[in-house]
Amino acid sequence: RHPAVQQSFQSNMAKLHIHPVGLILLLLALACWVVMLGGLAASISFCKNNSNPLDTIISCSQTYQQDWWTLFFELFLILVMLATCFLNIFPKARYVYLAYLSMTTALLTWTTRKFFTESFNQGWLSLDNTSRAYDAAAVGAMLLCIVNFSLIIFVGLGAAKELAPEGGGFNSLPVNGGPPTGMGSLQMTHADGRPMQPPPATF
């Protein structure tokens, strides 16, 4: 690899505000999104071809309206996270991403159940195009659920790292007989700065 290219790659990775696995998951989410998009579009086509022409627009839109909103909200969230993962704004928006990831995961879970149910009603693993469309939409939604669960973990790890104080965790033990470190290391002192000792235990 050319040294300049390697140096540029290392410089960009140093600016990354998400775990490298999280970046891979975001790219994987785009592939899963395309799978679900194909299955959902094919399901809409089947609905239009097998419905009363007078009721096609209303019935199909009502059946799959929420799925379309879920799909494109997921796309918007993925693209925003990809666009900001190398920027300093990512840590500030981390909790917003976690909230939206939780919401879209819940919606995708409902969508997965819906399309798996329609696939079973049509004939599980049937070779007709309708069943394949339902299967693609269900598998795409299920994979997005898995990716979102994983993203919640890796994005949340960054949040926990930001909350933990340097040199100690939430329940760090004393070092060399000194006071404990980490969250909970607060100690009351006298007016002159001397630490206050806890009263002796009485039984």
Side-chain angles (χ1 to χ4, degrees):
R1 181 181 295 179
H2 195 277
V5 176
Q6 184 177 4
Q7 184 178 4
S8 176
F9 175 78
Q10 293 176 349
S11 176
N12 290 331
M13 292 303 294
K15 299 177 182 178
L16 187 63
H17 291 280
I18 189 175
H19 195 282
V21 177
L23 179 60
I24 297 175
L25 288 172
L26 286 173
L27 298 176
L28 181 61
L30 287 177
C32 298
W33 185 89
V34 173
V35 174
M36 182 179 173
L37 174 65
L40 184 56
S43 301
I44 288 284
S45 177
F46 168 76
C47 179
K48 291 181 178 180
N49 294 333
N50 293 272
S51 301
N52 186 339
L54 298 178
D55 301 330
T56 295
I57 298 179
I58 297 178
S59 62
C60 293
S61 62
Q62 290 178 346
T63 303
Y64 298 106
Q65 184 179 38
Q66 181 174 332
D67 305 313
W68 281 111
W69 279 107
T70 302
L71 185 66
F72 281 96
F73 187 79
E74 175 77 12
L75 176 64
F76 175 77
L77 180 59
I78 293 171
L79 294 179
V80 170
M81 292 182 69
L82 280 173
T84 59
C85 64
F86 290 97
L87 303 177
N88 292 331
I89 194 176
F90 189 91
K92 300 177 182 179
R94 191 183 301 274
Y95 296 102
V96 177
Y97 295 152
L98 287 172
Y100 284 149
L101 280 171
S102 302
M103 183 173 65
T104 55
T105 303
L107 293 172
L108 286 168
T109 302
W110 184 88
T111 300
T112 302
R113 171 191 172 278
K114 172 184 176 180
F115 279 103
F116 269 128
T117 301
E118 292 185 355
S119 180
F120 273 111
N121 293 337
Q122 188 69 22
W124 179 243
L125 296 180
S126 177
L127 297 179
D128 65 307
N129 293 332
T130 305
S131 181
R132 289 178 178 177
Y134 293 153
D135 292 340
V139 170
M142 181 180 65
L143 291 176
L144 279 174
C145 284
I146 297 174
V147 172
N148 280 4
F149 274 122
S150 303
L151 280 172
I152 290 173
I153 293 174
F154 283 100
V155 175
L157 284 176
K161 183 178 179 181
E162 292 168 3
L163 286 175
E166 184 178 357
F170 288 98
N171 295 299
S172 299
L173 297 176
V175 180
N176 296 328
T181 60
M183 306 288 293
S185 62
L186 299 177
Q187 190 174 17
M188 299 183 65
T189 59
H190 294 284
D192 56 1
R194 293 182 297 107
M196 297 180 63
Q197 298 297 328
T202 56
F203 297 95

